[in-house]
Structure formats: structure tokens, C-alpha cells
């Protein structure tokens, strides 16, 4: 039975059969595929696909998320390649489309995440597993909403990079996760990931929390000290970047992590 499905960029895909050879170029989507029971169909991943750990030795690594080995990918004879609008480049997607269908996700909200899981259920004929994950996440989100309901709103700046310093702005998944946690992002009026200069009056000195992510840049104590000098009273907290930026099934573990994180405040 022929399936016609539209990805999150609006591209129409036609599948005669469910894809059996998958290449995933997005770490969080690789983890989701595993949690959906599709381990045996995955033939290629990126060097950043570190969950589950055993994939590093059992799956072919075809490069990173921005730079890939096209010949390695071609030789793996994929039926489908999974990409993401933010993680991968348009040029990459266009080139890979010459090999096989490229399904592109665009995850900016929690609802987008649910849509991706449901889409994977249809594409890979694992609707029951996908629905189980959607049900688990729906329950966990509802439970977390009750947990966070009476927590005060706190003003935050979420750092993701150094040299130059970059923070999270609006129009991305991390910002949505910040909102979920009752964190008011002081840069939510700027697009995506703005660069900030610490030694200017523009840096928001009235933040309650400075969140330093573990990825993509691994912040250290000396960074916390340097940034802290430009705030009045903000508490600096090191956070697990995967929990804030990875979507898919990771959201379930992230919600449990956030409950523990709030105990620090």
C-alpha cells in the first residue's frame, strides 16, 4: 500500500513500502528510533549519536551533523535519511535527496515533537510503539505541569557557546523548554542564538539564573566566574544540555531531570 506523507518542512514523500534501511543524521532522532524498536533498521548514524552507547560500535558512522561522507552514505544503500532543519544544512539535504528520500523534521515546540513521533510511527509501521510513547509523554507533561504550576517565574540567560558567547533566543526548542520550566528567557525577543558581549550595558545584569549548558560547548567553573562578574545577583547553574535540547523520547527523561533541577533553587 502506497503511503503519501508530508514532513515538517511541507515536502511530500511517497513510500511504496516501509523503509528498512535508515540513516539518521540527528542524535535525538537516533535515540527515538531505538526507543521505537527500530534498532535493526538503522544502518548509519553521526559521530554525535551517542545514545544508545552501543551504536558507536554497531552502526556505521557517516560523519557529523554538518559535515558528512556522501560516499559512505551512498554505499549503505539507505531507503530513507532522517535530517532536521536546525541540525543539518539545506545544501546537505538537497545533495542527499539524490540518493534517497530525505525526511526533514522541524522541532520548535512540544507539539512538534509529538507530531514527529506520530510521523515516525506511520513511516516505519510502528504506530503502536509511537502511540505508547506519545501517551507516556502526554502523562509526563501533565504531571510536570502540576509540579511546576506554583513555581515562581525566574529570569534566565541560557548560554550555549563561548568565543563568542552565544545564548538561546526565541524560535527554537530550547526556548520552549525554558518556558515549560517557568524560566523567562531574557533573550526571547532575539532570533535563534544571538551573540552577547559581556562587557557592554546590553548584557542583562538582572537575571535570576545563568544556565551554562554542557553542550555544544562544555562550560567550566572559570566561565561561570567570568560571566557572573557581569550580573548583580544571578545564580550560576550548570545544566545537562541534552535534557534541554534533545527532543523525541528524551523528553520523558528530561522532565524527571527538571524536577531534580528545581530542587537546587
Amino acid at each position: 500500500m502506497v503511503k503519501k506523507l508530508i514532513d515538517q518542512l511541507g515536502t511530500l514523500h511517497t513510500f511504496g513500502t516501509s523503509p528498512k534501511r535508515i540513516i539518521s543524521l540527528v542524535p535525538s532522532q537516533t535515540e527515538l528510533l531505538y526507543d521505537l524498536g527500530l534498532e535493526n533498521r538503522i544502518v548509519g548514524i553521526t559521530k554525535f549519536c551517542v545514545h544508545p552507547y552501543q551504536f558507536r560500535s554497531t552502526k556505521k558512522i557517516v560523519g557529523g551533523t554538518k559535515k558528512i561522507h556522501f560516499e559512505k552514505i551512498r554505499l549503505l544503500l539507505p531507503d530513507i535519511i532522517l535530517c532536521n532543519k536546525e541540525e543539518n544544512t539545506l545544501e546537505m539535504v538537497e545533495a542527499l535527496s539524490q540518493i534517497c528520500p530525505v525526511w526533514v523534521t522541524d522541532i520548535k515546540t512540544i507539539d512538534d515533537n509529538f507530531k514527529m513521533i506520530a510521523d515516525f510511527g506511520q513511516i516505519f509501521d510502528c504506530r503502536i510503539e509511537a502511540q505508547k510513547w506519545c501517551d507516556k509523554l502526554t502523562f509526563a507533561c501533565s504531571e510536570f505541569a502540576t509540579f511546576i504550576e506554583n513555581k515562581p517565574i525566574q529570569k534566565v540567560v541560557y548560554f550555549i557557546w563561548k568565543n563568542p558567547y552565544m545564548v538561546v533566543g526565541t524560535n527554537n526548542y530550547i526556548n520552549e523548554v525554558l518556558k515549560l520550566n517557568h524560566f523567562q528567557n531574557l533573550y526571547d525577543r532575539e532570533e535563534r542564538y544571538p551573540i552577547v558581549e559581556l562587557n557592554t550595558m546590553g548584557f542583562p545584569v538582572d537575571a535570576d539564573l545563568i544556565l551554562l549548558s554542557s553542550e555544544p560547548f562544555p562550560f567550566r567553573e572559570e566561565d561561570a566566574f567570568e560571566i557572573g562578574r557581569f550580573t548583580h545577583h544571578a545564580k550560576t547553574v550548570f545544566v545537562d544540555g541534552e535534557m534541554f535540547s534533545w527532543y523525541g523520547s528524551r523528553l520523558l527523561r528530561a522532565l524527571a531531570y527538571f524536577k531534580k533541577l528545581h530542587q537546587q533553587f
Side-chain angles (χ1 to χ4, degrees):
M1 180 179 176
V2 175
K3 295 180 186 176
K4 292 188 176 183
L5 301 170
I6 297 174
D7 70 19
Q8 289 176 302
L9 287 193
T11 303
L12 176 65
H13 297 268
T14 302
F15 300 101
T17 59
S18 179
K20 296 296 190 290
R21 297 180 63 80
I22 307 167
I23 289 178
S24 174
L25 300 181
V26 187
S28 55
Q29 292 174 193
T30 300
E31 181 179 54
L32 173 60
L33 293 173
Y34 173 76
D35 286 335
L36 290 174
L38 299 169
E39 177 175 3
N40 292 334
R41 295 203 211 177
I42 303 169
V43 296
I45 61 173
T46 76
K47 62 183 179 181
F48 301 116
C49 295
V50 294
H51 301 293
Y53 180 78
Q54 68 267 23
F55 275 16
R56 302 282 294 169
S57 57
T58 61
K59 305 300 178 183
K60 186 75 171 180
I61 295 175
V62 298
T65 54
K66 299 292 189 289
K67 294 182 180 180
I68 52 176
H69 299 282
F70 286 94
E71 187 61 12
K72 285 183 180 180
I73 289 175
R74 188 183 66 79
L75 291 174
L76 286 172
L77 303 175
D79 298 319
I80 191 170
I81 299 169
L82 302 180
C83 289
N84 174 265
K85 182 180 178 180
E86 183 164 292
E87 292 278 346
N88 313 116
T89 67
L90 175 61
E91 293 76 17
M92 181 187 298
V93 170
E94 290 175 342
L96 290 171
S97 296
Q98 303 302 311
I99 298 175
C100 72
V102 180
W103 184 274
V104 185
T105 62
D106 185 16
I107 313 296
K108 295 176 183 173
T109 68
I110 303 299
D111 285 344
D112 290 339
N113 191 45
F114 278 97
K115 181 66 166 61
M116 175 186 67
I117 296 171
D119 285 344
F120 282 12
Q122 291 195 68
I123 296 169
F124 302 115
D125 282 342
C126 58
R127 293 179 185 82
I128 293 176
E129 282 303 311
Q131 188 58 54
K132 284 180 180 178
W133 270 102
C134 286
D135 290 345
K136 283 191 286 189
L137 290 173
T138 297
F139 178 80
C141 285
S142 176
E143 190 179 52
F144 186 78
T146 300
F147 165 83
I148 203 74
E149 184 177 9
N150 295 318
K151 301 286 186 186
I153 302 291
Q154 300 192 78
K155 294 178 289 186
V156 306
V157 180
Y158 187 107
F159 280 81
I160 61 167
W161 197 256
K162 181 181 179 180
N163 296 327
Y165 279 117
M166 297 175 69
V167 299
V168 168
T170 191
N171 203 28
N172 58 64
Y173 182 72
I174 297 177
N175 190 49
E176 288 299 304
V177 173
L178 292 175
K179 292 178 186 176
L180 191 70
N181 279 279
H182 280 197
F183 293 150
Q184 178 190 345
N185 180 5
L186 293 180
Y187 281 91
D188 69 353
R189 293 186 178 181
E190 297 192 38
E191 282 289 314
R192 293 175 56 76
Y193 308 103
I195 294 173
V196 297
E197 298 288 344
L198 298 184
N199 59 350
T200 70
M201 293 300 291
F203 182 69
V205 295
D206 61 340
D208 298 310
L209 299 171
I210 300 294
L211 304 181
L212 300 182
S213 181
S214 61
E215 67 163 47
F217 183 87
F219 286 96
R220 299 289 183 259
E221 290 290 347
E222 55 267 28
D223 304 315
F225 176 77
E226 180 180 5
I227 295 170
R229 291 191 298 117
F230 294 92
T231 68
H232 287 157
H233 62 273
K235 179 178 181 180
T236 302
V237 182
F238 292 93
V239 297
D240 186 336
E242 290 181 359
M243 296 301 182
F244 280 86
S245 64
W246 285 38
Y247 35 85
S249 50
R250 174 57 63 99
L251 179 59
L252 186 66
R253 276 162 278 186
L255 292 169
Y257 168 83
F258 297 147
K259 287 183 180 179
K260 293 181 180 178
L261 182 65
H262 280 277
Q263 293 173 5
Q264 298 181 34
F265 310 141

